[in-house]
Amino acid sequence: MRRLPVYLLLDTSGSMTGEPIEAVKNGVQVMISSLRQNPQAIETAFISIITFDSTARQLVPLTDLASFQMVDIKATGTTSLGEALKLVATCIDNEVAKTTQEQKGDWKPLVFIMTDGIPTDEWQSGLEEFKKRKTAYTVACAAGSGADSNLLKQITENVVSLDTADSQSISKFFSWVSASIGVTSTKVEDAGKEVTGIGELPPPPSELNIVT
């Protein structure tokens, strides 16, 4: 069974307090529920949650959809995006099965990053580590006016932005992530092909702007 690993890197810094963090928790739940309705996704998609504030931690290791349980998250502290990138690189090393001569490994992981602010740590060193790992695609979402989409462009060419980090926009982002994971899992299951960029994903809702 080749798994499709999906890593969600979620900003839980203090500026996410209140409506944004509740919307993120809700968005993850809705995303998991909708993916559980998708026969291809339930076969292949494995989800991990990494949060970053003053430190980065993997709250949920790579878990199949059937057993996935969201943990409570709180908004506090600063924005250690570099540490989160370093951590996801380590998690990919430890959790994603590599292809060997004997067997096909997992599919290349998908990484979705959502942040409402500017990194407060030495994020370039984290980015260097992250860039050494192969992903099928990485999408970064700049949520609200405090986030810097130009900075996120240095992490990945696939950047989307939300004008506001309110519950409606954030929930639209997660439904698009859910649709993107669904499309990718169908493609790997049915065609044995990986999706490589945002152009092959479902068109984002109007709240989500593609940053060019």
Side-chain angles (χ1 to χ4, degrees):
M1 228 307 285
R2 298 182 72 183
R3 303 176 305 169
L4 177 66
V6 180
Y7 289 92
L8 296 181
L9 275 58
L10 305 174
D11 184 338
T12 51
S13 61
S15 53
M16 293 286 289
T17 303
E19 190 184 352
I21 199 83
E22 292 306 319
V24 166
K25 286 195 268 199
N26 196 32
V28 172
Q29 296 291 18
V30 171
M31 179 190 88
I32 297 294
S33 307
S34 86
L35 287 171
R36 282 176 178 154
Q37 314 297 315
N38 176 322
Q40 275 94 0
I42 202 139
E43 285 294 309
T44 50
F46 280 63
I47 312 285
S48 168
I49 304 281
I50 289 173
T51 58
F52 56 98
D53 39 66
S54 301
T55 56
R57 38 187 109 58
Q58 188 183 34
L59 290 191
V60 182
L62 215 48
T63 306
D64 64 277
L65 287 167
S67 16
F68 183 92
Q69 296 245 303
M70 186 53 181
V71 285
D72 193 37
I73 50 177
K74 298 199 167 32
T76 171
T78 53
T79 312
S80 302
L81 177 57
E83 210 180 302
L85 291 170
K86 211 169 275 180
L87 178 57
V88 73
T90 307
C91 295
I92 288 172
D93 289 348
N94 295 339
E95 295 179 326
V96 178
K98 302 199 173 22
T99 297
T100 62
Q101 287 177 323
E102 289 74 52
Q103 60 162 26
K104 289 270 197 195
D106 292 329
W107 297 102
K108 283 197 208 91
L110 319 181
V111 177
F112 293 93
I113 302 166
M114 180 181 164
T115 180
D116 75 334
I118 312 282
T120 48
D121 61 352
E122 283 296 318
W123 64 277
Q124 283 92 345
S125 61
L127 177 58
E128 274 168 41
E129 276 309 302
F130 177 65
K131 291 261 189 197
K132 293 176 191 163
R133 311 307 186 275
K134 294 272 184 284
T135 62
Y137 57 84
T138 298
V139 174
C141 174
S145 56
D148 182 348
S149 44
N150 291 328
L151 184 148
L152 295 177
K153 273 286 197 192
Q154 296 176 55
I155 300 174
T156 172
E157 59 201 28
N158 305 312
V159 177
V160 294
S161 70
L162 295 169
D163 294 336
T164 51
D166 61 8
S167 54
Q168 190 189 350
S169 305
I170 289 174
S171 74
K172 289 285 200 235
F173 170 68
F174 279 101
S175 25
W176 179 72
V177 169
S178 171
S180 300
I181 297 168
V183 163
T184 308
S185 60
T186 302
K187 195 157 180 186
V188 297
E189 280 276 285
D190 295 354
K193 281 203 176 74
E194 292 182 296
V195 171
T196 53
I198 209 160
E200 298 176 64
L201 298 178
S206 57
E207 288 83 352
L208 209 54
N209 318 302
I210 293 185
V211 179
T212 49

